[in-house]
Amino acid sequence: PHVPCFKIGSGDITWLEILEKVARTGKPVILSTGASDFADVKRAVETILGINPAVVLLQCNTNYTGNIENFKHIHLRVLIEYARSFPQVVLGLSDHTPGLAAPLGAVALGARVIEKHFTDDNTRTGPDHAFSMTPGGWREMVDRTRELEDALGSAEKRVAENEADTVIIQRRCLRAARPLTKGTVLRREDIDVLRPAPSDGIFPYELGRVLGRRVKIDVAQGDYLRWAMLDERG
Protein backbone atom coordinates (compact mmCIF):
# COMPACT_ATOMS: atom_id res chain seq x y z
CA PRO A 1 0.00 0.00 0.00
CA HIS A 2 3.00 2.31 0.36
CA VAL A 3 4.27 2.44 -3.24
CA PRO A 4 2.47 3.42 -6.47
CA CYS A 5 4.45 1.01 -8.67
CA PHE A 6 7.18 -1.63 -8.61
CA LYS A 7 10.62 -1.60 -10.25
CA ILE A 8 12.20 -4.88 -11.34
CA GLY A 9 15.97 -4.59 -11.69
CA SER A 10 17.75 -6.12 -14.65
CA GLY A 11 19.20 -8.90 -12.51
CA ASP A 12 15.72 -10.31 -11.81
CA ILE A 13 14.54 -10.48 -15.42
CA THR A 14 14.73 -14.30 -15.41
CA TRP A 15 12.94 -14.75 -12.05
CA LEU A 16 9.45 -15.36 -13.39
CA GLU A 17 8.05 -16.20 -9.97
CA ILE A 18 8.73 -12.70 -8.64
CA LEU A 19 7.55 -11.10 -11.88
CA GLU A 20 4.22 -12.89 -11.53
CA LYS A 21 3.89 -11.94 -7.85
CA VAL A 22 4.58 -8.27 -8.55
CA ALA A 23 2.26 -8.25 -11.56
CA ARG A 24 -0.60 -9.60 -9.43
CA THR A 25 -0.49 -6.51 -7.22
CA GLY A 26 -2.18 -4.69 -10.08
CA LYS A 27 0.28 -1.81 -9.79
CA PRO A 28 2.40 -0.67 -12.75
CA VAL A 29 5.59 -2.67 -13.24
CA ILE A 30 8.81 -1.01 -14.42
CA LEU A 31 11.14 -3.59 -15.95
CA SER A 32 14.82 -2.91 -16.67
CA THR A 33 16.43 -5.05 -19.36
CA GLY A 34 20.19 -4.65 -18.88
CA ALA A 35 22.55 -7.59 -19.45
CA SER A 36 19.83 -9.55 -21.25
CA ASP A 37 18.95 -10.62 -24.77
CA PHE A 38 15.65 -10.33 -26.59
CA ALA A 39 14.52 -13.81 -25.55
CA ASP A 40 14.94 -12.82 -21.90
CA VAL A 41 12.98 -9.62 -22.46
CA LYS A 42 10.19 -11.32 -24.39
CA ARG A 43 9.77 -13.99 -21.72
CA ALA A 44 9.62 -11.44 -18.92
CA VAL A 45 7.31 -9.00 -20.69
CA GLU A 46 4.87 -11.71 -21.73
CA THR A 47 4.85 -13.06 -18.18
CA ILE A 48 3.88 -9.67 -16.76
CA LEU A 49 1.44 -8.75 -19.53
CA GLY A 50 -0.38 -12.04 -19.04
CA ILE A 51 -1.41 -10.73 -15.63
CA ASN A 52 -1.03 -6.96 -15.67
CA PRO A 53 -1.21 -4.60 -18.68
CA ALA A 54 0.60 -1.71 -16.96
CA VAL A 55 4.23 -2.24 -17.99
CA VAL A 56 7.08 0.24 -18.46
CA LEU A 57 9.91 -1.36 -20.42
CA LEU A 58 13.36 0.20 -19.98
CA GLN A 59 16.26 -0.32 -22.33
CA CYS A 60 19.36 -0.55 -20.16
CA ASN A 61 23.08 -1.21 -20.24
CA THR A 62 24.16 -2.47 -16.84
CA ASN A 63 27.66 -1.07 -16.50
CA TYR A 64 28.39 1.29 -13.61
CA THR A 65 31.88 2.42 -14.55
CA GLY A 66 30.74 5.72 -16.06
CA ASN A 67 33.29 5.18 -18.83
CA ILE A 68 32.67 7.29 -21.93
CA GLU A 69 33.10 4.13 -24.00
CA ASN A 70 29.82 2.88 -22.56
CA PHE A 71 27.93 5.09 -25.00
CA LYS A 72 28.85 2.52 -27.65
CA HIS A 73 26.88 -0.10 -25.73
CA ILE A 74 23.65 1.79 -24.94
CA HIS A 75 21.98 0.72 -28.22
CA LEU A 76 19.06 3.12 -28.04
CA ARG A 77 17.67 1.70 -31.28
CA VAL A 78 16.54 -1.29 -29.23
CA LEU A 79 13.65 0.99 -28.27
CA ILE A 80 12.45 0.81 -31.87
CA GLU A 81 12.30 -2.98 -31.65
CA TYR A 82 10.57 -2.80 -28.27
CA ALA A 83 7.94 -0.47 -29.74
CA ARG A 84 7.40 -2.87 -32.64
CA SER A 85 7.27 -6.01 -30.52
CA PHE A 86 5.38 -4.65 -27.50
CA PRO A 87 3.19 -1.77 -28.71
CA GLN A 88 1.08 -1.83 -25.55
CA VAL A 89 3.91 -0.95 -23.13
CA VAL A 90 5.40 2.41 -22.15
CA LEU A 91 9.01 2.75 -23.26
CA GLY A 92 11.88 4.14 -21.24
CA LEU A 93 15.60 4.14 -20.51
CA SER A 94 17.55 3.17 -17.42
CA ASP A 95 20.76 5.10 -17.98
CA HIS A 96 24.19 4.86 -16.35
CA THR A 97 26.11 7.21 -18.65
CA PRO A 98 27.07 10.79 -17.80
CA GLY A 99 25.25 13.76 -19.23
CA LEU A 100 22.16 14.15 -21.39
CA ALA A 101 22.98 12.44 -24.69
CA ALA A 102 21.41 9.06 -23.90
CA PRO A 103 18.21 10.36 -22.25
CA LEU A 104 17.55 12.85 -25.03
CA GLY A 105 18.22 10.24 -27.70
CA ALA A 106 15.85 7.86 -25.93
CA VAL A 107 13.09 10.45 -25.79
CA ALA A 108 13.53 11.08 -29.51
CA LEU A 109 12.98 7.34 -30.08
CA GLY A 110 9.82 7.18 -28.01
CA ALA A 111 10.93 6.84 -24.38
CA ARG A 112 8.53 8.34 -21.84
CA VAL A 113 10.32 7.26 -18.65
CA ILE A 114 13.93 8.07 -17.79
CA GLU A 115 15.71 6.49 -14.84
CA LYS A 116 18.99 8.10 -13.76
CA HIS A 117 21.01 7.70 -10.57
CA PHE A 118 20.89 10.76 -8.33
CA THR A 119 23.51 12.35 -6.08
CA ASP A 120 24.16 15.66 -4.37
CA ASP A 121 27.89 15.48 -5.15
CA ASN A 122 29.63 13.72 -8.06
CA THR A 123 32.89 13.56 -6.08
CA ARG A 124 31.51 11.35 -3.34
CA THR A 125 33.01 7.88 -2.92
CA GLY A 126 30.87 5.08 -4.29
CA PRO A 127 30.16 3.02 -7.41
CA ASP A 128 27.75 5.41 -9.10
CA HIS A 129 28.30 8.97 -7.84
CA ALA A 130 30.59 9.88 -10.74
CA PHE A 131 27.93 9.34 -13.42
CA SER A 132 24.89 10.24 -11.31
CA MET A 133 22.93 13.44 -11.79
CA THR A 134 22.99 16.33 -9.36
CA PRO A 135 19.89 18.47 -8.76
CA GLY A 136 21.16 21.01 -11.29
CA GLY A 137 21.84 18.32 -13.86
CA TRP A 138 18.39 16.87 -13.31
CA ARG A 139 16.79 20.27 -13.90
CA GLU A 140 18.82 20.61 -17.09
CA MET A 141 17.70 17.17 -18.29
CA VAL A 142 14.04 17.97 -17.71
CA ASP A 143 14.27 21.38 -19.39
CA ARG A 144 16.09 20.02 -22.45
CA THR A 145 13.63 17.13 -22.66
CA ARG A 146 10.68 19.52 -22.72
CA GLU A 147 12.37 21.46 -25.54
CA LEU A 148 12.98 18.22 -27.42
CA GLU A 149 9.35 17.15 -27.04
CA ASP A 150 8.29 20.47 -28.54
CA ALA A 151 10.82 20.07 -31.34
CA LEU A 152 9.67 16.52 -32.18
CA GLY A 153 6.24 17.90 -32.98
CA SER A 154 4.07 16.23 -35.60
CA ALA A 155 4.87 13.68 -38.31
CA GLU A 156 2.73 15.68 -40.74
CA LYS A 157 4.92 17.74 -43.09
CA ARG A 158 3.31 21.12 -43.66
CA VAL A 159 4.10 24.81 -43.72
CA ALA A 160 4.33 25.73 -40.05
CA GLU A 161 2.49 28.69 -38.58
CA ASN A 162 5.75 30.54 -37.95
CA GLU A 163 6.71 30.13 -41.63
CA ALA A 164 3.73 32.05 -43.02
CA ASP A 165 5.88 35.04 -43.98
CA THR A 166 8.95 33.00 -44.90
CA VAL A 167 7.08 30.97 -47.50
CA ILE A 168 6.33 34.22 -49.34
CA ILE A 169 9.72 35.86 -48.91
CA GLN A 170 11.91 32.88 -49.80
CA ARG A 171 9.93 31.23 -52.57
CA ARG A 172 9.95 32.36 -56.18
CA CYS A 173 7.15 32.97 -58.64
CA LEU A 174 6.87 33.75 -62.34
CA ARG A 175 7.33 37.42 -63.20
CA ALA A 176 7.43 39.43 -66.42
CA ALA A 177 11.02 39.68 -67.67
CA ARG A 178 10.06 42.67 -69.84
CA PRO A 179 6.99 44.84 -70.40
CA LEU A 180 4.28 42.61 -71.89
CA THR A 181 1.48 44.04 -73.99
CA LYS A 182 -2.01 42.60 -74.08
CA GLY A 183 -2.16 39.61 -76.42
CA THR A 184 1.51 38.63 -76.06
CA VAL A 185 2.02 34.87 -76.33
CA LEU A 186 4.35 33.96 -73.49
CA ARG A 187 7.73 32.45 -74.32
CA ARG A 188 10.43 31.36 -71.90
CA GLU A 189 12.43 34.56 -72.43
CA ASP A 190 9.40 36.61 -71.32
CA ILE A 191 9.49 35.12 -67.83
CA ASP A 192 11.80 35.52 -64.84
CA VAL A 193 11.70 33.34 -61.74
CA LEU A 194 12.09 35.75 -58.83
CA ARG A 195 11.31 36.34 -55.18
CA PRO A 196 9.02 37.03 -53.37
CA ALA A 197 6.09 34.75 -54.19
CA PRO A 198 2.66 36.06 -53.12
CA SER A 199 0.13 33.31 -52.45
CA ASP A 200 -1.81 34.12 -55.64
CA GLY A 201 1.31 34.04 -57.80
CA ILE A 202 2.23 31.26 -60.22
CA PHE A 203 4.99 29.00 -58.94
CA PRO A 204 7.92 27.80 -61.07
CA TYR A 205 6.63 24.22 -61.28
CA GLU A 206 3.70 25.63 -63.33
CA LEU A 207 6.00 27.08 -66.00
CA GLY A 208 4.99 24.47 -68.57
CA ARG A 209 1.32 25.43 -68.19
CA VAL A 210 2.11 29.12 -68.67
CA LEU A 211 4.18 28.98 -71.86
CA GLY A 212 2.07 29.51 -74.97
CA ARG A 213 -0.72 31.40 -73.20
CA ARG A 214 -1.66 35.00 -74.05
CA VAL A 215 -1.70 37.78 -71.49
CA LYS A 216 -5.11 39.44 -71.27
CA ILE A 217 -3.76 42.76 -69.99
CA ASP A 218 -0.59 44.82 -70.19
CA VAL A 219 1.94 43.60 -67.63
CA ALA A 220 4.78 45.76 -66.36
CA GLN A 221 8.29 44.37 -66.16
CA GLY A 222 8.79 42.68 -62.80
CA ASP A 223 5.09 42.20 -62.06
CA TYR A 224 4.19 38.71 -60.92
CA LEU A 225 1.92 36.67 -63.14
CA ARG A 226 -1.48 35.43 -61.98
CA TRP A 227 -3.79 32.99 -63.65
CA ALA A 228 -6.44 35.69 -64.04
CA MET A 229 -4.04 37.55 -66.36
CA LEU A 230 -3.78 34.67 -68.81
CA ASP A 231 -6.00 33.28 -71.55
CA GLU A 232 -5.99 29.69 -72.66
CA ARG A 233 -3.07 28.72 -74.87
CA GLY A 234 -2.79 30.83 -78.01
Side-chain angles (χ1 to χ4, degrees), residues 37-115:
D37 60 22
F38 188 77
D40 293 325
V41 175
K42 186 173 186 292
R43 183 191 310 113
V45 171
E46 289 179 348
T47 296
I48 300 170
L49 286 177
I51 302 168
N52 184 342
V55 176
V56 178
L57 185 61
L58 306 182
Q59 165 60 352
C60 177
N61 176 257
T62 309
N63 183 295
Y64 283 16
T65 63
N67 192 310
I68 200 74
E69 289 294 308
N70 289 341
F71 281 109
K72 298 177 181 178
H73 304 287
I74 300 299
H75 301 305
L76 293 178
R77 288 191 177 93
V78 168
L79 290 167
I80 299 172
E81 182 57 38
Y82 283 177
R84 184 183 300 116
S85 300
F86 314 112
Q88 65 273 61
V89 308
V90 175
L91 298 178
L93 175 70
S94 176
D95 184 39
H96 307 113
T97 59
L100 304 180
L104 293 178
V107 170
L109 292 173
R112 292 297 172 264
V113 174
I114 300 295
E115 179 190 60

Side-chain angles (χ1 to χ4, degrees), residues 86 100 102 109 125 149 151 222 226-227:
F86 314 112
L100 304 180
L109 292 173
T125 301
E149 288 170 339
R226 298 176 286 286
W227 291 113

